[in-house]
Amino acid sequence: MNRRKFLLGSAASAGLAGAATWINAAPSQKRELTIQPASFRLRTRRTMDMVSLSPDAPPPVLLGRQGKPMQLRVINGTEDYTAMHWHGLRIPNAMDGVPYLTQMPIAGGESFDYEFTPPDAGTYWYHPHCMTMAQMAHGLTGVMVIAEAEDPGFDADQVVNLRDFRLDENDAFLPYSTARGAARSGTFGNVITANWRQAPVYDQPTGGLVRLRLVNSDTTRIYRLYLSADTARIMAWDGHPVEVPVAQPSAQAPLLLGPGQRVDLAVKMPAHEGQTVELLADLPGQPGRVMTQLRAVGRDLARDLRDLKPLPANPVSRPDLAKAEVHDFVFGWTPEGRAPDDGYCGSLGYSFWSINRTPWPGDAARDTGPLATLERGKSYILRLRNESPNLHPIHLHGLAFVPIRSNRRQLPPLMTDTILLLKDEVVEIALVADNPGDWAFHCHVIEHQKTGLAGFLRVT
Ligand code: C2O
Ligand code: CU
Ligand code: CU
């Protein structure tokens, strides 16, 4: 039996997200997504008041194909306002889903048609950008897989959406935000999940090559991750194929994956049926906690990591550093505490954070200009300085960028849309301003974003 046939045979038992076959099936390029109340057993009892795209399941993996148009009608089946953002996709500004900046918020009962053609393959995700904290904390974070134009040769594909929920002893939601948390590292959840389950086990072909797509869609937590096996290789980072060798995460040097970030690992499954590969996270007080397990099933496919060619590069323009103009951004606290004007999109009631010492006046605030105006087609260096003791995953919409220098560490030049700034770190990133529009620029610790650490860059 050839490899493809084996997979077709095993897809049913491996489940929806278990095999490469679903990637090669017709992508869901046209879909209606209804944001709606949901419930789910996250721990012991069914948690009510969740928000998802079906009444009783996590938001689905949305599948598209590089260079193929997608039509996603987002219907708001809740009573709150919303808007959907496609994190990491370099698409036209009007489809970016940022309230008041690129579209008006979607009221309850209304819908918005998002139509775009993803230029890049890789692992991306989606989440609301209006009522962001409320809807994300209650469940609405999903993964988007944009398949390469050609099959890169894995035997299976496994998406793992990592996130926490903040529940009380009856498995009901606790308040998603605290002033204390918002002013520090954010408010952490206490139920740690992968695809909304605790340590789920996924069957994968024995001796096969699995593309493990890890997504941190949490509002707060920075995961420190590694695998129990050393037979793995980082293939892509924040959607984009890695073009330089990067060290494998290990217990001694775990991978830091901040909110909004993704990593694709090629994992060689063990050669004996029943053996497992574990994804482990170092959590405070819980080193090496199992997040998920891949369990070998079936006969040994005897694949080899060296069978894999590098993934084809995405069509991202490379910045010309010699000609790049430099812009400075300082991320820190704010002296004043006025609540941002977020209009219909949910303010947390404080400003604690700022960019360039000015807190974001709010999504709906009038007369708010860009933090910087970039000329279309030109190269830029953005110097990002963290003057706070807290870590900030800084995210830029609509453009991909590459870190070129840090005062604290050797940063591999991996193309990205979200960079984790360490304590007292200054990182320079470079980009080509090749996508016109107003692009949100903010911390992805959502309580930081919603209490001032936000703004936008304009590409004209
Ligand atoms: Cu993932 Cu502005 O967001
Ligand atoms: Cu984004
Ligand atoms: Cu932050």
Side-chain angles (χ1 to χ4, degrees):
M1 205 193 316
N2 70 24
R3 178 162 72 86
R4 198 55 71 201
K5 284 211 187 100
F6 170 83
L7 280 163
L8 285 167
S10 73
S13 65
L16 173 72
T21 44
W22 68 270
I23 290 287
N24 293 316
S28 40
Q29 279 149 357
K30 189 167 183 175
R31 281 184 85 144
E32 285 195 346
L33 308 171
T34 304
I35 301 176
Q36 57 191 282
S39 67
F40 196 80
R41 197 178 304 279
L42 295 165
R43 193 165 52 183
T44 323
R45 276 169 265 215
R46 190 166 273 274
T47 294
M48 311 304 288
D49 300 323
M50 298 192 70
V51 182
S52 188
L53 298 177
S54 59
D56 51 11
V61 175
L62 297 182
L63 182 55
R65 191 170 294 279
Q66 184 173 24
K68 290 277 173 340
M70 297 180 83
Q71 291 171 272
L72 302 168
R73 167 167 295 177
V74 171
I75 302 164
N76 184 1
T78 76
E79 283 163 17
D80 288 321
Y81 283 80
T82 192
M84 196 67 97
H85 170 59
W86 321 96
H87 181 124
L89 294 190
R90 299 185 303 130
I91 54 180
N93 196 237
M95 296 293 122
D96 198 44
V98 180
Y100 304 101
L101 195 64
T102 71
Q103 67 169 88
M104 287 309 283
I106 310 168
E110 291 182 353
S111 67
F112 190 95
D113 289 326
Y114 294 94
E115 299 190 9
F116 48 78
T117 300
D120 303 319
T123 305
Y124 301 91
W125 66 294
Y126 60 97
H127 60 81
H129 226 280
C130 173
M131 298 305 291
T132 314
M133 192 63 208
Q135 292 174 1
M136 285 177 70
H138 285 207
L140 192 54
T141 65
V143 176
M144 273 183 108
V145 167
I146 307 299
E148 285 79 12
E150 274 178 44
D151 178 2
F154 292 92
D155 301 300
D157 200 293
Q158 181 64 55
V159 168
V160 177
N161 179 8
L162 300 172
R163 57 162 301 160
D164 305 346
F165 292 92
R166 199 160 175 269
L167 305 183
D168 69 13
E169 64 279 5
N170 298 316
D171 295 336
F173 279 108
L174 287 165
Y176 48 73
S177 178
T178 61
R180 189 189 157 79
R184 294 178 176 76
S185 300
T187 302
F188 289 83
N190 53 8
V191 179
I192 313 280
T193 69
N195 298 336
W196 285 23
R197 296 177 186 276
Q198 294 183 69
V201 180
Y202 295 107
D203 288 349
Q204 300 294 352
T206 302
L209 297 175
V210 180
R211 182 172 186 167
L212 183 61
R213 303 176 188 260
L214 307 181
V215 179
N216 180 352
S217 78
D218 195 55
T219 55
T220 311
R221 190 180 302 280
I222 297 157
Y223 288 94
R224 293 163 191 278
L225 301 168
Y226 54 98
L227 297 173
S228 61
D230 58 4
T231 50
R233 194 202 293 159
I234 293 180
M235 299 296 283
W237 180 253
D238 289 336
H240 300 283
V242 303
E243 295 171 354
V244 292
V246 262
Q248 283 320 298
S250 63
Q252 294 70 40
L255 177 82
L256 253 58
L257 197 67
Q261 296 193 290
R262 296 86 65 205
V263 64
D264 289 33
L265 292 149
V267 180
K268 153 87 172 146
M269 289 298 292
H272 296 282
E273 185 155 24
Q275 289 181 329
T276 59
V277 174
E278 280 148 12
L279 173 69
L280 305 164
D282 280 347
L283 299 174
Q286 296 179 71
R289 175 178 172 130
V290 177
M291 301 300 295
T292 187
Q293 280 184 9
L294 307 180
R295 180 173 57 198
V297 292
R299 67 167 183 90
D300 183 11
L301 294 188
R303 296 292 305 279
D304 190 312
L305 279 173
R306 286 168 299 190
D307 296 349
L308 288 172
K309 295 191 294 288
L311 297 168
N314 284 324
V316 181
S317 318
R318 309 284 154 153
D320 179 349
L321 297 183
K323 292 204 184 124
E325 193 180 294
V326 181
H327 287 265
D328 281 284
F329 300 90
V330 178
F331 304 99
W333 284 310
T334 177
E336 46 171 317
R338 204 174 55 84
D341 174 11
D342 283 323
Y344 294 120
C345 289
S347 164
L348 298 183
Y350 321 87
S351 285
F352 291 128
W353 296 94
S354 62
I355 302 182
N356 293 345
R357 310 230 154 75
T358 306
W360 172 242
D363 291 341
R366 286 167 194 279
D367 305 321
T368 308
L371 291 161
T373 300
L374 312 180
E375 238 179 276
R376 189 172 179 185
K378 285 202 172 161
S379 294
Y380 291 89
I381 292 172
L382 312 185
R383 193 183 292 132
L384 315 179
R385 175 188 302 275
N386 180 8
E387 32 165 55
S388 80
N390 304 100
L391 278 58
H392 301 285
I394 301 296
H395 172 49
L396 175 60
H397 289 213
L399 302 166
F401 59 83
V402 63
I404 51 175
R405 192 171 300 126
S406 157
N407 64 336
R408 290 214 33 202
R409 54 184 162 153
Q410 204 70 48
L411 273 175
L414 305 179
M415 200 60 75
T416 180
D417 50 64
T418 307
I419 179 102
L420 186 63
L421 280 191
L422 306 180
K423 181 176 186 293
D424 300 323
E425 191 173 37
V426 183
V427 173
E428 290 181 11
I429 62 172
L431 56 80
V432 181
D434 57 0
N435 198 2
D438 287 343
W439 299 112
F441 184 48
H442 62 87
C443 180
H444 227 289
V445 170
I446 306 299
E447 287 166 291
H448 294 177
Q449 175 194 352
K450 294 295 272 184
T451 61
L453 216 165
F456 69 94
L457 304 185
R458 176 166 290 161
V459 178
T460 54

